[in-house]
Amino acid sequence: MSKIKVFLRHWNGATKRKQNVRPEWFSYEKCYRSIKNANIDLTILLDGTKQDHHFIFDPEDKIIEFTGGGDAESFLFCLNFIKDQNLNPEDIVYIVEDDYFHLKGWDKILSEAFNTFDVDYITLYDHPDKYFLPMYNDLQSKLLHSPSIHWRTTPSTCNTYSGKWKTFQKHWDTHVKYCLPENTHDGYDHTKFLDLWQQGSNLISPIPGYSTHCELPFLTPTISWDKI
């Protein structure tokens, strides 16, 4: 299988955002470093300019500068950029927000899952809200296993997720729909995946997770992220 096509969305104004919920060990550069390895094809989509960015990317990085201004606008730019890359239908596309930290080996686990299951979308984030929010008291998930770890079906994820390019193409109108102003309410990523499930799609996440959204109290459970 070809290298995973990673599209990492960065925003110049990110350092001013959600400072009160960041763990002490967090940094955007640490998240960026955690995803890099030789087994991926990385493109950084930078909402802003390299000159104004708060840390220096590596010289070999492919960086595309653009002006978005918001999450939905940025995600739509990302989708359209990917569409123009002439990808193979079987290519794994991984869209990543700039505040996700990954464990070593995340790429192997992701490839393993796509090689094991007939699944549309995969998140590497084990959402802790599925364990404590009252709205999930009656949640039932199907448990799966690949050669290395267990997985569960999950109702939704944030805008950091992966799928094969052919799957993005199949659901293209839905992905674009949830970038439009009338649909970008708080939690619209959750609503997007509920919509995809209604269309017969699916989504799984690993147990334990191989990434975490760096917000308190929503870190992937059972892992001492501060010691990594």
Side-chain angles (χ1 to χ4, degrees):
M1 183 176 290
S2 61
K3 291 184 177 181
I4 299 169
K5 312 298 183 182
V6 178
F7 299 89
L8 177 58
R9 296 191 297 136
H10 268 270
W11 177 45
N12 275 357
T15 54
K16 304 174 184 177
R17 182 180 50 152
K18 299 182 179 180
Q19 296 181 48
N20 61 320
V21 297
R22 298 302 189 192
E24 290 184 4
W25 51 264
F26 167 78
S27 78
Y28 289 97
E29 183 169 6
K30 186 173 183 178
C31 292
Y32 155 74
R33 297 285 170 198
S34 75
I35 201 168
K36 292 196 68 174
N37 64 60
N39 302 318
I40 67 170
D41 183 359
L42 174 65
T43 302
I44 297 169
L45 302 178
L46 176 59
D47 189 349
T49 64
K50 288 185 287 185
Q51 290 79 6
D52 296 329
H53 198 57
H54 45 276
F55 67 82
I56 299 174
F57 296 109
D58 291 337
E60 71 273 13
D61 289 332
K62 179 181 179 182
I63 301 174
I64 306 299
E65 298 177 352
F66 71 101
T67 301
D71 182 61
E73 294 87 350
S74 169
F75 200 85
L76 183 58
F77 178 88
C78 181
L79 289 174
N80 288 325
F81 179 85
I82 295 170
K83 189 177 182 180
D84 291 338
Q85 300 311 298
N86 194 29
L87 298 181
N88 185 293
E90 294 295 327
D91 282 342
I92 297 173
V93 172
Y94 188 22
I95 301 174
V96 185
E97 295 162 282
D98 58 10
D99 58 350
Y100 276 71
F101 184 79
H102 289 71
L103 296 179
K104 289 182 179 179
W106 69 265
D107 53 306
K108 294 180 177 63
I109 290 297
L110 187 60
S111 294
E112 180 181 296
F114 279 111
N115 288 332
T116 304
F117 309 120
D118 182 16
V119 63
D120 279 350
Y121 298 103
I122 296 174
T123 173
L124 295 174
Y125 176 37
D126 185 17
H127 291 246
D129 58 301
K130 303 301 188 292
Y131 301 102
F132 68 77
L133 285 185
M135 65 183 287
Y136 295 120
N137 282 348
D138 298 322
L139 176 63
Q140 295 186 17
S141 295
K142 182 177 181 178
L143 291 179
L144 310 164
H145 73 86
S146 60
S148 301
I149 60 170
H150 285 84
W151 301 77
R152 64 180 290 185
T153 57
T154 189
S156 64
T157 188
C158 303
N159 271 335
T160 292
Y161 59 92
S162 60
K164 291 188 176 180
W165 176 231
K166 65 182 181 182
T167 306
F168 278 89
Q169 291 175 303
K170 179 173 67 175
H171 300 133
W172 185 257
D173 289 346
T174 302
H175 291 288
V176 171
K177 172 184 174 181
Y178 288 97
C179 294
L180 302 178
E182 60 268 28
N183 299 315
T184 54
H185 53 79
D186 185 38
Y188 73 93
D189 42 11
H190 170 76
T191 307
K192 173 169 61 179
F193 277 95
L194 296 184
D195 191 340
L196 288 169
W197 273 103
Q198 288 295 317
Q199 297 175 47
S201 185
N202 48 51
L203 169 69
I204 62 172
S205 62
I207 309 173
Y210 263 74
S211 76
T212 188
H213 194 187
C214 295
E215 288 188 15
L216 301 171
F218 296 106
L219 300 179
T220 289
T222 77
I223 296 171
S224 299
W225 294 100
D226 59 331
K227 294 180 172 59
I228 299 173

